[in-house]
Amino acid sequence: MITLHHLENSRSHRITWLLEELNLPYEVKIYKRNTLTLMAPVELKEIHPLGKSPVLTDDKKKIAESGAIILYILRRYDLEHKFYPKLNDEKYDEFEYWMHYAEGSFMPFMVLALVFAKVLAAPVPFFIKPIVKKIVSQVKKSFIDPNIKTHLKFMEEHLKIHQWFLGDQFSAADIHLSYSLEAAQSRAGFADYPSLARFLKAIHERTAYQRASLRTGGLDFKAFL
Ligand SMILES: N[C@@H](CCC(=O)N[C@@H](CS)C(=O)NCC(=O)O)C(=O)O
């Protein structure tokens, strides 16, 4: 039996979504974030030493890391390759690229944006506040924002000419990239990125996405802003 250890409002939404796309039976154990720090509760450390979500158990197997979980589910349960290309398919390398890109290249900048927003909102003695503000705004301006813009432009250009990240065919790469794109849209809107906005609208229309949201409470980025 598959059990997904799901932290509310988190990357783990993607795993529920993939499980729903594949119509697999599974259990979800939902963990609540600390309302002040937004961190995961300590119980998640009993599941995996890093205490992060998602973690998936399947009988005796335990897997952490969204990308590894997605690949495990595909290898084990998507025998018809509905959501990923076969190893000898010319699209396979592209699929692997996007799978690594999602968490390895783009998401770190979204996390940095979140951390720096939290630093700005943190209570500090009033005489330090201007210094904190200056440092945060400098790092945002010179490093975080330009990098996020470069990535969004890169994906926008790609989706301008392709319906999905792999072209005509919806795949697990779209699922994997969805979370960081949803986070980016909630942060600054996608007025300058019509293809990314179109992509998000299309994924929200998928019934499996909607079923996943019902099962886990969906995604709401307000608390992170
Ligand atoms: N690269 C990992 C990141 C896991 C991760 O940081 N998950 C977040 C949820 S979005 C988490 O558990 N945060 C709670 C915390 O850090 O306490 C993955 O994709 O699974």
Side-chain angles (χ1 to χ4, degrees):
M1 178 67 180
I2 295 174
T3 302
L4 175 65
H5 294 271
H6 172 87
L7 179 66
E8 63 176 349
N9 249 330
S10 77
R11 288 164 166 90
S12 174
H13 180 266
R14 302 177 287 199
I15 310 300
T16 336
W17 178 16
L18 178 61
L19 292 167
E20 290 290 342
E21 291 281 358
L22 285 162
N23 277 313
L24 291 170
Y26 63 99
E27 256 170 26
V28 191
K29 190 160 184 319
I30 297 182
Y31 299 79
K32 295 265 172 214
R33 288 182 185 268
N34 178 299
T35 46
L36 283 179
T37 64
L38 300 178
M39 299 293 273
V42 284
E43 294 88 79
L44 258 176
K45 284 217 164 109
E46 289 158 22
I47 308 299
H48 187 278
L50 296 184
K52 307 281 180 203
S53 170
V55 176
L56 184 116
T57 56
D58 189 11
D59 297 329
K60 290 199 175 112
K61 266 210 180 285
K62 183 183 286 182
I63 307 160
E65 199 60 51
S66 318
I69 296 172
I70 290 176
L71 291 175
Y72 168 80
I73 295 172
L74 293 172
R75 272 196 314 271
R76 175 105 205 253
Y77 297 105
D78 186 13
L79 303 182
E80 291 168 19
H81 285 264
K82 277 170 77 178
F83 300 109
Y84 78 127
K86 291 189 175 138
L87 208 54
N88 60 358
D89 186 314
E90 57 171 20
K91 286 270 169 200
Y92 189 84
D93 291 344
E94 224 180 298
F95 169 70
E96 229 178 60
Y97 170 75
W98 289 117
M99 289 299 291
H100 286 288
Y101 169 84
E103 284 292 317
S105 282
F106 181 45
M107 195 59 196
F109 288 110
M110 295 309 300
V111 173
L112 274 178
L114 168 68
V115 170
F116 274 83
K118 287 280 160 216
V119 169
L120 201 57
V124 286
F126 74 93
F127 53 91
I128 298 180
K129 193 89 185 164
I131 302 168
V132 173
K133 260 178 133 171
K134 187 142 183 112
I135 294 171
V136 169
S137 112
Q138 201 51 41
V139 178
K140 260 176 73 51
K141 210 169 96 191
S142 63
F143 185 64
I144 302 175
D145 290 350
N147 271 293
I148 290 179
K149 203 169 162 187
T150 302
H151 280 282
L152 292 178
K153 201 161 171 290
F154 169 59
M155 288 183 276
E156 170 69 21
E157 292 304 317
H158 185 74
L159 289 185
K160 213 181 253 178
I161 47 173
H162 301 288
Q163 188 185 358
W164 303 106
F165 278 94
L166 286 195
D168 300 340
Q169 188 65 39
F170 173 79
S171 77
D174 299 302
I175 296 180
H176 199 38
L177 278 152
S178 65
Y179 182 77
S180 42
L181 285 174
E182 304 223 45
Q185 189 186 41
S186 68
R187 185 172 174 258
F190 272 171
D192 293 338
Y193 307 103
S195 308
L196 298 182
R198 189 257 307 145
F199 170 81
L200 288 186
K201 187 168 175 290
I203 66 169
H204 295 157
E205 281 166 2
R206 292 185 75 87
T207 53
Y209 180 101
Q210 292 163 9
R211 287 201 304 274
S213 298
L214 282 177
R215 195 85 194 257
T216 61
L219 291 173
D220 177 0
F221 291 93
K222 276 197 294 294
F224 301 106
L225 301 175

